[in-house]
Amino acid sequence: MHKLFFHTLSLKVLFFFGFLFFLFSCAQKPPTYFPETGRDALYQRALDLRSNLRVLSIALQPGFEDLAALAYFRLGRGANAMSAYLTNGEAGESDVQSEYPSYLAAVRREEAARAMGLLGSDVRFLNLPDITAASDSAQVRELWPSDTLNLRLGRLISNFKPDLILVARDWQLGNQSLRWQIFRSEVMAAVKSVAAAKIAEFFIVADTYHAWPTPRVVIDEGEGQGVPVTINERHPRWKKSYAELGAEAARAYTSLAVQRKRWSQNRAPSYLMAYPQRSTDPSQIDAGLPLPVSGRLRNLEIQVEYLTAATLDGNTDKALPRVVTIMDSVDSYLGRQFELTPAERRTLLGWKSGLENLRCTLLGVEVDYTVTDTLLTERQLTYVFVNKVQGIKGEGTTEIFFAGLDQGWVVNEDLQHRLPLQIGEEYRLLTPQPVTYNFPVGQHPFQPTTVGRAIPLLVIHRASSKEQSFVHRNTINLSFAPKFVAEVLTPIVRMAPNERVVIRLMNISRDGVADTIEVADSLAQSFRHPFRLSSKGATKLDTLPITWQGNPDDGTYVIPVVIDGVPIAKFAARKFRAEVEGAKRVGLVTGIKNSPAAEALRRLNLKFVLAEPGNGLVQQTEALDVLIIDRRALTLQPEIAEKRQALDQFVNRGGHLIVLAQDAAAWNAKPLWEDMTLTASSLLAANMPVQSDASHVLLAKPNFIAPEDWNEWLFWRGYNQISGSALTAATVPVRTMPDGLPLIVTATVGNGKRTYVDLALHPQLMNIHAGAFRLLANLISY
């Protein structure tokens, strides 16, 4: 039951509104490095046209991609770049605040889209479940079936048709992790499968067989093992290296800022050629790419090269006539589709798009537009206003075209999606019924491969001269939600005193709504709270203090939240015994907001203080019996390590120092327990069996830790292998089976105790797992 509720209920982080702000924001303007007009725009668009290179990055999750390399390929080579992610990283950890998995996934997807947006590139998400630890490959295969992986990877590669595929390393767990080994092999299998399918689909043109060009695959196998990308070269116009441009894009990963910095210390991507085993220059992974065009397109390629060379040199006097001449030739070839090979079609379509972009820049075309609402429901209007179009020269007709709309969409009460352009006039887009919801993210699991629904917005101008005609493209990103959103932000609570349920109400419709909301159940009651949401987008955050009714058996209960007696949301309440012995005075040193440890202490009905690792730590701990160093606190607040003496004094005078699992690198640099070493491990799966010393007081008092308390853990059992001579003088009440790796280490020091807990308690405490609560209560009572 624990896993069921944790994954299927509305999983949200408390008071999280960043994602909501992202959804409401209007269509984003082009990134700084990709202006539409001016000399910088001419340079980039000429480079794009000349390149016709496609680069696909594939990573296990957002944040693992090589942003410096992608900056080089996009800005330095003019490549069409895309970054794809196998998972959304929902089982990871944030450097900012505690997040439920579905919201962490939303954050990581948004951050990836922002990072790649700065580099003028697109993103795709394959939406496989995130795997943090696995004891054998069967566990990985269970969540990542080979046929599913091959289908999604194959579809990605077939659709994008890359010349070069970059396979990113596993920055978190290393390339020896089971997940990365399987990921690597499946990428290779998908590439070979696509290549074999394309070879089978040969084309006969001019009595010659033409197969689809095989993409080159390079894999980041680790420092010093392969060929780096030339990221230290400086961009000729922006005067920054590609490494610096990649670092700017990386700032979008706020939730990974500390982790990414630690991953990259003294390490850099280094690529090995994986497929096919050949290259014109083994010192450059992109040497000879893209492959030469066919003989009949060579003359057209020479014209493109001449045009782009002149434009890159700043000579644009005759550029527009040349653009039109080449476009006419491209259209002529595309008019004979069945005579073209797939590679020729891709090349010609790339030239057509690049030539149109270059023509818009040469004409100085810019379109300023406004979208009134980007979070919509079914059968709802949003209004698009084109405020200004620059670059229109001479007479002609101008139209607006909402491309790619499915059946059921209506524009200005008409099924036609192409209309005359009227500056300042409203264009009414009516959504169809039904629509696929993707907000709130916890209630609607991720299925789309993109962030939001992209609607191409084209402004088409037909002048008397082809040189003054253009097609300008923008994209509107839309998201969809029910008309009324009732979102429980505390989806799982404990049946204990002083519990509360936090709920967010949001009106997506344009009709006002006013009513009362409450919990009215045989097991739980709250006061009736009135609310009024008068307009679209109006939001109310409410807290419902819960009074528990009756005396139900231990277990998990689903309790509705009702409006006027009608259930509109639900939360899970878990009842179990978990008590702290004695009136313990507890302090917590943490590095994140909304720490699961802090919430668990509150749910254990403990009054605790948040201690700061500053100069006053000694004074802060004088009144404490127990001091808890939270998970990853040494990484997020490294100054804690400088307070080792103060912590030792606290223990020697009778305090109990509890250190929850730390990152191995931060711990080993300055450990809080002498002669204890941590080694990060990806093998400590959540279902790994444990051997516990039932006679040890930590597992017996005041709460007995039963075998079932180790069942249904999420994501991890633990994080590190613990070693060192410190273990000889310590007690190890909990170990893994059959390897006997320590999971809890404790020792008496002076008048006090020191305990290191490597168990993955945070995910279990967020899930209100009875066994984790009992264990934490015992640690505090010890």
Side-chain angles (χ1 to χ4, degrees):
M1 293 294 288
H2 293 180
K3 289 187 179 180
L4 173 66
F5 284 111
F6 193 76
H7 287 291
T8 59
L9 283 177
S10 158
L11 304 181
K12 308 295 178 295
V13 67
L14 196 58
F15 306 133
F16 179 81
F17 283 98
F19 185 64
L20 184 64
F21 173 80
F22 172 74
L23 288 173
F24 274 128
S25 63
C26 292
Q28 293 179 320
K29 295 181 180 180
T32 305
Y33 296 112
F34 297 90
E36 291 194 294
T37 58
R39 304 304 305 175
D40 293 330
L42 277 173
Y43 178 90
Q44 186 63 48
R45 289 190 163 175
L47 190 66
D48 296 348
L49 173 59
R50 183 177 68 178
S51 172
N52 213 12
L53 174 68
R54 286 174 174 255
V55 176
L56 173 64
S57 165
I58 307 179
L60 275 167
Q61 59 182 253
F64 285 11
E65 70 275 29
D66 185 352
L67 290 168
L70 288 166
Y72 163 74
F73 285 115
R74 182 66 191 95
L75 285 156
R77 291 269 338 247
N80 181 353
M82 177 182 287
S83 188
Y85 310 94
L86 196 71
T87 78
N88 296 312
E90 68 273 10
E93 297 173 280
S94 170
D95 294 334
V96 179
Q97 63 182 20
S98 173
E99 306 274 17
Y100 283 107
S102 57
Y103 253 101
L104 183 58
V107 168
R108 293 281 161 80
R109 288 165 65 103
E110 178 192 341
E111 289 174 340
R114 287 206 309 268
M116 295 308 298
L118 183 70
L119 300 180
S121 303
D122 207 351
V123 292
R124 289 293 183 273
F125 303 96
L126 302 187
N127 300 320
L128 272 295
D130 190 17
I131 299 173
T132 50
S135 56
D136 57 54
S137 59
Q139 292 182 336
V140 180
R141 289 293 186 187
E142 182 180 357
L143 293 173
W144 293 353
S146 184
D147 56 347
T148 301
L149 266 173
N150 195 271
L151 176 64
R152 296 187 188 183
L153 288 168
R155 185 181 296 147
L156 171 73
I157 295 167
S158 294
N159 290 342
F160 187 64
K161 301 177 178 62
D163 299 292
L164 178 65
I165 298 177
L166 307 176
V167 181
R169 76 170 73 174
D170 186 342
W171 286 97
Q172 181 186 23
L173 302 178
N175 284 7
Q176 299 306 311
S177 69
L178 290 172
R179 68 178 184 180
W180 193 85
Q181 294 292 330
I182 290 176
F183 164 63
R184 181 192 191 280
S185 66
E186 290 293 342
V187 169
M188 295 303 302
V191 169
K192 294 175 182 178
S193 176
V194 170
K198 294 302 179 184
I199 290 172
E201 297 172 6
F202 61 81
F203 292 80
I204 301 176
V205 180
D207 298 325
T208 304
Y209 291 100
H210 295 266
W212 180 259
T214 301
R216 183 180 300 169
V217 182
V218 294
I219 298 179
D220 181 6
E221 295 282 7
E223 179 68 28
Q225 296 187 38
V227 180
V229 180
T230 53
I231 60 174
N232 293 320
E233 291 183 3
R234 296 178 70 81
H235 190 279
R237 299 198 66 84
W238 301 116
K239 309 303 180 185
K240 299 177 182 179
S241 71
Y242 298 108
E244 291 172 323
L245 292 167
E248 286 186 22
R251 291 177 194 146
Y253 282 110
T254 306
S255 72
L256 282 171
V258 178
Q259 295 174 66
R260 282 183 56 91
K261 183 178 179 180
R262 186 169 292 278
W263 294 340
S264 60
Q265 283 182 345
N266 304 316
R267 295 191 294 174
S270 183
Y271 294 93
L272 288 178
M273 194 77 62
Y275 183 84
Q277 297 293 338
R278 63 179 184 274
S279 171
T280 57
D281 183 354
S283 67
Q284 294 183 351
I285 64 174
D286 56 331
L289 294 179
L291 297 176
V293 299
S294 64
R296 60 176 168 176
L297 295 186
R298 178 57 187 149
N299 183 59
L300 203 53
E301 183 181 48
I302 291 172
Q303 296 180 54
V304 169
E305 289 172 351
Y306 183 82
L307 167 65
T308 56
T311 305
L312 289 170
D313 288 341
N315 183 5
T316 60
D317 292 341
K318 298 180 180 179
L320 273 172
R322 291 191 182 118
V323 166
V324 171
T325 300
I326 300 173
M327 288 184 75
D328 285 343
S329 298
V330 168
D331 288 338
S332 176
Y333 275 111
L334 289 174
R336 306 191 299 272
Q337 287 276 346
F338 295 107
E339 299 178 14
L340 300 174
T341 71
E344 287 174 332
R345 273 203 301 273
R346 199 206 75 168
T347 297
L348 290 164
L349 289 171
W351 283 341
K352 183 176 177 66
S353 175
L355 287 163
E356 189 59 73
N357 288 339
L358 182 58
R359 179 164 63 174
C360 285
T361 300
L362 289 166
L363 289 170
V365 177
E366 285 189 283
V367 176
D368 177 53
Y369 67 96
T370 303
V371 184
T372 58
D373 296 291
T374 57
L375 179 59
L376 303 168
T377 190
E378 58 267 350
R379 308 303 293 169
Q380 188 173 62
L381 285 168
T382 186
Y383 299 87
V384 179
F385 296 87
V386 178
N387 307 313
K388 185 178 181 181
V389 178
Q390 294 182 176
I392 295 179
K393 296 177 174 61
E395 298 295 327
T397 60
T398 309
E399 296 175 307
I400 186 170
F401 180 33
F402 298 93
L405 293 179
D406 301 328
Q407 186 176 5
W409 284 81
V410 176
V411 181
N412 282 10
E413 296 80 48
D414 198 332
L415 297 179
Q416 296 296 321
H417 301 157
R418 183 165 175 165
L419 302 94
L421 177 65
Q422 300 291 332
I423 300 297
E425 295 294 322
E426 65 181 32
Y427 292 90
R428 300 173 295 281
L429 270 67
L430 181 65
T431 61
Q433 186 177 23
V435 293
T436 300
Y437 300 143
N438 58 5
F439 181 85
V441 293
Q443 294 176 358
H444 305 286
F446 291 111
Q447 294 299 330
T449 58
T450 59
V451 176
R453 165 72 188 276
I455 307 294
L457 174 63
L458 277 60
V459 173
I460 304 168
H461 179 66
R462 294 284 179 250
S464 56
S465 165
K466 287 186 178 181
E467 295 175 15
Q468 296 177 347
S469 301
F470 63 81
V471 178
H472 182 277
R473 182 187 179 95
N474 274 298
T475 301
I476 301 171
N477 283 307
L478 302 178
S479 295
F480 302 98
K483 294 180 180 179
F484 182 81
V485 171
E487 189 179 12
V488 176
L489 301 180
T490 50
I492 311 174
V493 300
R494 185 187 176 199
M495 278 190 175
N498 303 316
E499 191 58 276
R500 71 274 179 114
V501 170
V502 180
I503 190 165
R504 180 171 65 189
L505 304 176
M506 186 174 180
N507 184 15
I508 309 298
S509 76
R510 289 191 169 84
D511 299 323
V513 58
D515 215 312
T516 59
I517 187 167
E518 63 182 323
V519 175
D521 187 76
S522 60
L523 296 177
Q525 299 281 331
S526 76
F527 290 113
R528 184 176 296 175
H529 287 206
F531 68 89
R532 180 181 295 276
L533 304 174
S534 301
S535 59
K536 177 176 170 60
T539 302
K540 179 179 176 63
L541 189 71
D542 208 346
T543 300
L544 305 176
I546 302 298
T547 301
W548 304 107
Q549 307 292 315
N551 185 27
D553 295 334
D554 287 0
T556 301
Y557 300 87
V558 179
I559 297 176
V561 179
V562 300
I563 292 178
D564 195 23
V566 178
I568 48 87
K570 58 186 176 181
F571 63 94
R574 303 202 200 280
K575 185 184 179 186
F576 53 84
R577 179 184 177 274
E579 298 176 355
V580 175
E581 189 173 70
K584 298 290 185 179
R585 297 167 297 177
V586 180
L588 174 67
V589 179
T590 187
I592 58 172
K593 300 176 183 177
N594 304 327
S595 164
E599 285 296 295
L601 293 176
R602 180 186 65 79
R603 288 185 164 115
L604 286 169
N605 204 28
L606 287 172
K607 294 183 178 179
F608 64 96
V609 297
L610 290 174
E612 295 293 334
N615 294 328
L617 184 61
V618 174
Q619 292 75 18
Q620 294 177 71
T621 58
E622 285 178 350
L624 299 179
D625 301 306
V626 178
L627 180 63
I628 301 173
I629 307 296
D630 205 358
R631 160 77 179 144
R632 299 187 65 231
L634 280 177
T635 300
L636 300 173
Q637 295 207 61
E639 61 270 27
I640 296 172
E642 307 301 328
K643 304 302 177 183
R644 168 86 178 269
Q645 184 177 358
L647 297 174
D648 290 343
Q649 291 175 3
F650 170 73
V651 173
N652 285 323
R653 68 170 179 260
H656 183 193
L657 178 66
I658 302 171
V659 183
L660 301 186
Q662 300 299 308
D663 291 334
W667 175 273
N668 294 335
K670 292 185 178 180
L672 299 183
W673 193 327
E674 198 67 37
D675 299 321
M676 179 184 289
T677 302
L678 304 181
T679 303
S681 174
S682 62
L683 301 176
L684 300 174
N687 64 348
M688 175 167 280
V690 299
Q691 177 184 356
S692 56
D693 182 359
S695 64
H696 196 283
V697 65
L698 264 178
L699 304 175
K701 293 182 180 180
N703 308 285
F704 177 69
I705 306 300
E708 55 267 26
D709 286 326
W710 302 107
N711 296 337
E712 297 183 348
W713 280 43
L714 296 172
F715 303 141
W716 305 78
R717 181 68 81 191
Y719 301 98
N720 304 289
Q721 295 183 19
I722 307 172
S723 60
S725 59
L727 296 177
T728 59
T731 303
V732 182
V734 181
R735 299 176 181 269
T736 65
M737 290 178 60
D739 299 328
L741 301 176
L743 292 171
I744 297 180
V745 179
T746 187
T748 299
V749 181
N751 294 319
K753 300 182 185 69
R754 189 191 310 269
T755 303
Y756 179 83
V757 183
D758 201 71
L759 290 162
L761 288 182
H762 267 202
Q764 323 321 321
L765 296 175
M766 291 176 71
N767 196 28
I768 317 295
H769 188 285
F773 268 75
R774 283 193 273 265
L775 183 59
L776 179 62
N778 285 10
L779 286 164
I780 295 169
S781 303
Y782 180 47

